[in-house]
Amino acid sequence: MNQTIETILRHRSIRKFTEQPLSEEQLSAILDSAIAASSSSFIQCVSIIRVTESDKRESLAEYAGGQPYVATAAEFLVFCADYHRHKQIHPEAKLGFTEQTLIASVDAALMAQNAMVAAESMGLGGVYIGGIRNNPAEVSELLSLPHHVFPLFGLCLGFPAQDPERKPRLPRELIVHQDEYQQDLDRNLLAEYDNQVREYYRTRTGGNKNTSWSEQITATLDKEARPFIKAFINEKGFSLK
Amino acid sequence: MNQTIETILRHRSIRKFTEQPLSEEQLSAILDSAIAASSSSFIQCVSIIRVTESDKRESLAEYAGGQPYVATAAEFLVFCADYHRHKQIHPEAKLGFTEQTLIASVDAALMAQNAMVAAESMGLGGVYIGGIRNNPAEVSELLSLPHHVFPLFGLCLGFPAQDPERKPRLPRELIVHQDEYQQDLDRNLLAEYDNQVREYYRTRTGGNKNTSWSEQITATLDKEARPFIKAFINEKGFSLK
């Protein structure tokens, strides 16, 4: 196993950071890494807003549902789906297709994961902030996002001030299928995994949280998933057709 | 700059592979790397279909619009949005939200980029295959994808049998904005970049292709972007609300 793979396998989300800023070299390496990712059909429909103003950071921390590290991390990057550039270059561009939303979401995440791995390879840490989709209109206004642009997720980066355990993922056998989708869930493997997750939370919270993965996703999927997102991205000119 | 960042910055899509298969260790490292990525709200709504049967590979190469490397690469992985697992665990799960499509698209790409970087760090190469969305229903049937699962993109991996140039990306100044979106496109920077892209294609094709980025995206966005995708994912239970 090489250093890159070790870096990737060691990933934990970091939510506590020291006050140390990133060096110019570190920030450059992270942004250049993001930009080096593949782009579907060479469309390049992603923009990154680097937020440095502390009042904007405070607002974003609140919009994200009260996540203080959005305000305190050394860096906060907002990854956006962006066809505004294309519209300026080609005003008659055919936009609004669901396919274009998929391309932007995938490409933004390819870029972001390059940024995350590059940061982690330098001893930095980070966490993705999907919470900015709690208040997407407010986030868009704060960052002056025009039509044909919407905020997908944020990324906090900085020097870690915590050393959390790795969170156990679903076992490979449940995620990777060979040649065709295995429809029957292996309930034994799932039960084993559920115990692992329960143990992880117990250890991490000193016994306060005691939830299996199945229990957690059941609670999550009992609620509607940001039901306002469809109308929001439609209004921004996405997924209309 | 460390080895990980060098690996990331050296990325080129590889479309020609030797016949050498991956070792078990390499494949394991790649799949474990994919699984180590962040998962939005710990939902874990991604499945990977590893396609090894050569007749399925041939069909996928054709469905992807005639991309022979889909058949010939050592490995071909199909990344799918997947809430079927959740539905089995919690039959009353509230599904069909656009938000859940975004989560799946982002999480699948985070996983895939970990796989790509892990592969590249071992001297392997790869290319993403968005082309499987040309015939998503056929791909779904071939891989027996149930309701609440749809194929997002493929990833070819193998030992490179070519050494292409890096394709120039939009300059950082056009992708990264500070504190607010810069609505006015820097036309000078764009013109410079357009020339770079034109030069890249000229060199690569011995003068046969002579297209700037602006010309290329204009041609792409003159066409409808897979207009059938919306109905397809709706039918699979995605982005209904």
Side-chain angles (χ1 to χ4, degrees), chain A residues 2-5 8 29 32-33 36-37 114 117-118 121, chain B residues 1-13 113-125 166:
Chain A
N2 63 44
Q3 277 191 330
T4 299
I5 292 169
I8 287 173
D32 288 345
S33 293
N114 266 4
V117 172
S121 77
Chain B
M1 196 170 344
N2 62 43
Q3 277 191 329
T4 300
I5 293 169
E6 275 170 26
T7 295
I8 289 174
L9 296 181
R10 230 184 4 240
H11 168 73
R12 298 90 29 93
S13 293
Q113 189 58 15
N114 266 4
M116 176 75 100
V117 172
E120 290 175 336
S121 77
M122 298 185 287
L124 303 167
R166 289 190 58 232

Side-chain angles (χ1 to χ4, degrees), chain A residues 141-199:
Chain A
E141 208 192 317
L142 187 77
L143 304 177
S144 307
L145 304 186
H147 198 54
H148 299 301
V149 181
F150 79 90
L152 274 159
F153 54 84
L155 175 58
C156 295
L157 292 172
F159 284 88
Q162 63 177 173
D163 185 18
E165 261 188 272
R166 289 190 59 231
K167 198 168 180 176
R169 299 292 192 270
L170 276 171
R172 198 206 288 182
E173 295 76 7
L174 294 183
I175 294 180
V176 182
H177 309 243
Q178 187 144 326
D179 291 312
E180 61 180 346
Y181 191 95
Q182 295 304 318
Q183 297 218 17
D184 294 325
L185 191 61
D186 185 328
R187 298 275 175 177
N188 292 332
L189 263 181
L190 180 66
E192 218 173 278
Y193 176 63
D194 273 337
N195 283 334
Q196 268 179 46
V197 170
R198 198 185 290 285
E199 198 50 42

Side-chain angles (χ1 to χ4, degrees), chain A residues 52 82 99 179 181 226, chain B residues 52 82 85 99 179 181 226:
Chain A
T52 64
D82 181 0
E99 164 71 8
D179 291 312
Y181 191 95
R226 298 188 177 120
Chain B
T52 64
D82 182 1
R85 248 188 320 256
E99 164 71 8
D179 291 312
Y181 191 95
R226 298 185 178 123

Side-chain angles (χ1 to χ4, degrees), chain B residues 121-134:
Chain B
S121 77
M122 298 185 287
L124 303 167
V127 61
Y128 289 110
I129 307 293
I132 61 167
R133 294 194 304 276
N134 284 334

